Amino acid sequence: MDPYLAAVTSATSILAGLKVTATSGSSIDTPDENTRNILVLPDGLLFKNVPLDQRAFDVFVRYLVETRLGVFDKTPLATKELHVERLKGEHLVVCTHGNKDSRCGTRGNNLIQALNSLLSTTKTTKQYTVHDSSHVGGHDFAANLIAYPKGDWYGNLAQNNDAEEDAKAVIESLESNTVLWENWRGRLELDSAASEATAPSSEISLSDPSYDAKPAVSDETVSITFVLGRTGAKETRQTVYVKLGDRLLEVAQKLNIPSIDGVCGGNMECATCHVIVDQKHFDVLPRASDGEEDMLEYAIGRVDCSRLACQLKASKEMDGMELRIHSTTPDTFSI
């Protein structure tokens, strides 16, 4: 295997926090049907007219790893195999994935039009570029916008024919270096505790920093086992007693369970807390919401029993449940 691709497989944390999306964007050459423009943030890279083939994908992934290893700029951009340039200024990424959810297609495009119209007639202290996005996630919160390089994530924009008003509010907050708290959904690259400390009130549902990773066994706890890997016939397992009501993402993070990153802060905006539930317990869990199903499409190694740990709160039905971590277990394990 290519060493860079192997690095991605064995150390996914290298790419933690990246937003990679297909985009047309304003003032960007329009790709044809066999290519895509790809935006990578917060690294600030725009790959133009990337062919839809395996070789181009391999090169693209190699470049992503190189940026995180600090060797990307050792080769001049003009000589790289793919056409890539570095972006400057502020970037507003709006989900317009209408094929997936009409709300994003309608509200997202309305918001983009309002932002571009406002920016064309308003004097600003910063340089802004508005990008459409193939996927941001959380379609229930459409329209969604991520403001880079800061990484603030906003939702519920342009919902009631107020795209112009919301566009103005977003730009004013960025110009004044403040946060639009009413629509704030978190900040990329902050963990749950850090996002909790950032938020101005407890109205934003994030993790509880007082969580005790190893509570005493009682009627108020359930037993959950994380299956971490296998050497030959021997599995590495870690069993913990979890307080009823605690989110399993925070449980895993407090225990330093590998490969359960939750890079979006537990806001169901990524699939980095993907776990695989044993069949017995999967069958009695509440069904995944449409939003969770949407994000699971991006989970590496998804199977029928896949769930997001951020969407699972400890309940009596989970007592004895086993959770397998795909990235640290063989593809052939039985569920």
Side-chain angles (χ1 to χ4, degrees), residues 167-306:
K168 182 179 179 180
V170 168
I171 297 302
E172 287 179 347
S173 70
L174 293 170
E175 285 287 292
S176 60
N177 293 314
T178 58
V179 176
L180 192 62
W181 292 117
E182 181 179 354
N183 298 92
W184 192 74
R185 301 187 61 200
R187 182 173 297 163
L188 268 69
E189 299 188 271
L190 289 185
D191 60 21
S192 299
S195 293
E196 178 75 23
T198 302
S201 72
S202 59
E203 294 179 0
I204 298 175
S205 177
L206 297 167
S207 66
D208 179 3
S210 65
Y211 170 70
D212 178 4
K214 297 182 179 180
V217 180
S218 73
D219 291 340
E220 300 302 316
T221 63
V222 292
S223 170
I224 293 177
T225 298
F226 292 91
V227 182
L228 307 179
R230 177 183 290 148
T231 302
K234 184 179 180 180
E235 288 184 328
T236 300
R237 307 163 68 86
Q238 185 168 355
T239 299
V240 61
Y241 289 91
V242 181
K243 294 177 183 177
L244 295 178
D246 280 342
R247 283 203 307 177
L248 299 193
L249 171 60
E250 280 79 48
V251 174
Q253 290 176 330
K254 291 291 183 178
L255 292 171
N256 295 316
I257 300 296
S259 298
I260 300 185
D261 300 315
V263 298
C264 70
N267 290 310
M268 202 168 64
E269 303 296 350
C270 69
T272 60
C273 64
H274 171 217
V275 293
I276 299 173
V277 182
D278 69 85
Q279 186 69 59
K280 174 183 175 182
H281 288 88
F282 180 85
D283 290 341
V284 300
L285 292 178
R287 294 186 61 181
S289 66
D290 289 343
E292 182 179 354
E293 288 287 352
D294 177 42
M295 294 315 304
L296 281 169
E297 291 183 14
Y298 299 87
I300 297 174
R302 180 186 181 179
V303 296
D304 290 343
C305 294
S306 290

Side-chain angles (χ1 to χ4, degrees), residues 55-76:
R55 181 181 178 280
F57 173 78
D58 292 347
V59 174
F60 173 69
V61 173
R62 179 183 292 112
Y63 285 173
L64 294 187
V65 176
E66 285 182 350
T67 63
R68 293 305 173 97
L69 295 178
V71 298
F72 180 77
D73 288 326
K74 291 184 178 180
T75 303

Side-chain angles (χ1 to χ4, degrees), residues 11 24 79 151 177 269 333:
S24 59
T79 65
N177 293 314
E269 303 296 350
F333 61 73

Side-chain angles (χ1 to χ4, degrees), residues 69-103:
L69 295 178
V71 298
F72 180 77
D73 288 326
K74 291 184 178 180
T75 303
L77 295 183
T79 65
K80 288 188 178 293
E81 295 176 68
L82 297 178
H83 183 184
V84 56
E85 61 185 48
R86 283 200 175 274
L87 301 176
K88 298 179 180 179
E90 304 284 325
H91 298 272
L92 308 180
V93 181
V94 180
C95 182
T96 58
H97 196 188
N99 289 337
K100 184 64 180 178
D101 192 295
S102 61
R103 291 168 294 182

